[in-house]
Every structure is written in structure tokens, then in C-alpha cells.
Amino acid sequence: MSTFQPEPPATAPTARRVTAPAIRARKGPDGAVDTPIVMLTAYTARMAELLDPHCDVLLVGDSLGMVIYGLPSTVPVTLDMMCAHGAAVVRGAGHALVAIDMPFGSYEASREAAFASAARVLKETGAAAVKLEGGETIAPTVAFLVARGIPVIGHVGLTPQAVNTLGGYGARGRSEAEAAKIAADARAVADAGCFALVLEGVLEPIAAGVTAAVACPTIGIGASPACDGQVLVVDDMLGMFERTPKFVKRYEDLAARIGNAVETYAAEVRGRVFPGEEQLYRSKT
Ligand code: KIV
């Protein structure tokens, strides 16, 4: 396959795509999830195609601001960026539920503004859900969206869009007051109707307490195995960056492998080894 002749995703024509109600139903009335939910971020069609057969949910995270665009935080990410990458991921994935992060500034001002932004995201991308950060303050917005046909994933604990008020990206819930606030935030958005809840950067007892308290599945990132599922930024787990956050396990070392491959390519071009005989077009006669 070349860049110019993309094949349809292998899973597209026949497989049924995972739905928001199906993810919600993974947590039974007894509060148990049989098999943990697998979620990874994806930002491009080809990566979505590679991740799709293995994941329940692909999240077009606003982490793309840092991962793809080299921005210093998620704060500058725009709806245009989320829609462009969201549509690419939906084109690449035929099985996993695709959820799209609502970027900072697109949903906080009012429930109506949130609906307009979320509706645009779903219309322009074909994704089936949005994710938004926040707890008690944002819960009425979650209820408003859900009541109007927009499946929502909540996100509490460390909420990166609030970096300017939090003062950094450290784990949350180290004081009793902060732990109680995270638990209250989680209950508020879960009760408002989100079908899953991302818990980011919280201590294990908080994750365990929230997971036991809410009806929807919790999906942890830096939040211990006590959650009902896990999510990572795909570039982190593939080793695309030198720095690996403590909660990330590197399953590959792609940065080094890419460096080696490109070093070899550069040496072969300079040494007139590439292109070789095998890469030459020949006349058909
Ligand atoms: O933006 C993102 O990638 C996220 C995940 C890390 C949960 O919100």
C-alpha cells in the first residue's frame, strides 16, 4: 500500500463497531467488568488502522497538541484540529468506538456552546462519542449533552486542560480534601450520564473507591489497576519520546528504531547505494 492508494480498513465492511451502550454495559449491575476495557489514543488514519483490531475504544485525545503539533500543552488545541484528526481516525478504524476530546474553550462557557461544539465534532468526524474534562461544575453540561443524543466520556482527577490552575501535571488526590473532591467530581459526572469515565493521575485508593462507587466503567491512566480499563497515549507506550512518565510502560522503542532506519537511509543515499537495482522501474518489453 502506498500513501496515495489507501486500502479500506481491513475491519470496515463486516465488523460491527463497538458502541457507547456496549462499553457502558461491560460493567454489570454487580459493579464488575469481566475483561478490562482497552483504550489507546490515535490521531491518524494509518495508526488507527493498526490499533483498531486490538482496542475497544480509540480516543482522539487533545494530547495531539503536544504529540502531533509540538505545542506546550493542550490549551491551544482547536476544534478544527480535533475534527480533522477525528475524521482521519474514523476512516482508519472499523471496529473500535472512536471518541473525540472536546478541546479547551469549546464546552465550558455554556451547555448550549458545548452542544454546538459536540454536534459539530460528531457530524464532521463520524465519531460516536466525545470526552470532556471536569467534575461537579461540568456535570450539568454532561447531562444536557447525553439527553440530546451525545454519548459522553467523563475525565476527572488530573485534568490537563486545567494545567494553568492546577500548576502542573503531578498526581492528584494526595490530601484528604483533594481525594474527596475527586470522588465527588467522579460521582457527579457519572450520575450525569457519562458512559465511561477516565481517571487520570490519581492514587490507587481513590481509583478503587471511585470504581466501586460509579455505575459506568472507569478507565485509568496513571490511576492503578483498580480501574475497569486502561488508556495510554500511543506514542508514549511505543517509545516515541525520550521521556517516559512513571505510569507509562514502554512496549517498544520506536524513536531509536526510526533513528537507526533514517541513519541507514541517509548513509545509503550519500554512498549512492540507494536506490539500487531492485528499486528501478524497467521497460515492460
Ligand atoms: O488527551 C488525551 O490523550 C487524554 C488521555 C490521556 C486520557 O485525555
Side-chain angles (χ1 to χ4, degrees):
M1 185 178 107
S2 91
T3 312
F4 305 104
Q5 294 156 329
E7 288 165 2
T11 46
T14 50
R16 252 177 77 82
R17 200 185 276 280
V18 177
T19 63
I23 293 294
R24 168 64 189 81
R26 293 275 291 269
K27 189 157 174 171
D30 59 352
V33 163
D34 279 348
T35 310
I37 292 161
V38 179
M39 174 160 145
L40 277 174
T41 66
Y43 316 109
T44 63
R46 179 59 181 147
M47 184 60 89
E49 209 175 329
L50 294 173
L51 307 182
D52 188 48
H54 311 287
C55 292
D56 302 305
V57 184
L58 293 179
L59 172 67
V60 187
D62 61 354
S63 50
L64 65 74
M66 286 114 114
V67 174
I68 302 287
Y69 289 93
L71 293 167
S73 75
T74 57
V75 173
V77 171
T78 65
L79 264 178
D80 285 347
M81 289 176 185
M82 298 311 300
C83 285
H85 289 272
V89 168
V90 170
R91 282 194 291 272
H95 155 74
L97 171 82
V98 178
I100 313 237
D101 251 339
M102 302 291 293
F104 177 70
S106 71
Y107 62 94
E108 302 89 334
S110 69
R111 301 180 306 181
E112 290 75 13
F115 181 81
S117 300
R120 179 184 162 197
V121 164
L122 297 195
K123 279 173 189 282
E124 289 189 16
T125 65
V130 298
K131 175 168 84 58
L132 44 88
E133 296 183 6
E136 290 173 299
T137 310
I138 215 72
T141 299
V142 173
F144 190 85
L145 297 185
V146 172
R148 285 156 183 78
I150 299 187
V152 176
I153 300 178
H155 184 157
V156 301
L158 171 61
T159 47
Q161 292 176 10
V163 63
N164 290 318
T165 45
L166 297 178
Y169 296 104
R172 310 297 299 164
R174 292 192 194 277
S175 73
E176 263 183 40
E178 212 172 79
K181 173 66 178 141
I182 293 166
D185 282 342
R187 278 195 305 273
V189 287
D191 291 349
C194 59
F195 71 90
L197 177 61
V198 168
L199 275 179
E200 178 164 359
V202 299
L203 308 191
E204 185 164 21
I206 300 173
V210 167
T211 300
V214 300
C216 67
T218 59
I219 303 181
I221 172 162
S224 86
C227 300
D228 298 313
Q230 297 292 326
V231 56
L232 283 175
V233 168
V234 69
D235 294 63
D236 282 340
M237 57 86 78
L238 292 178
M240 284 292 282
F241 297 106
E242 266 65 53
R243 191 184 152 274
T244 307
K246 179 176 169 53
F247 57 84
V248 172
K249 179 170 174 184
R250 282 172 84 129
Y251 290 83
E252 249 301 347
D253 193 9
L254 282 194
R257 288 167 66 115
I258 290 171
N260 290 341
V262 176
E263 190 179 16
T264 306
Y265 165 75
E268 291 196 356
V269 170
R270 292 185 181 116
R272 300 188 189 283
V273 174
F274 173 83
E277 281 296 310
E278 283 177 18
Q279 289 85 38
L280 293 188
Y281 287 118
R282 305 206 173 276
S283 74
K284 290 206 167 108
T285 53

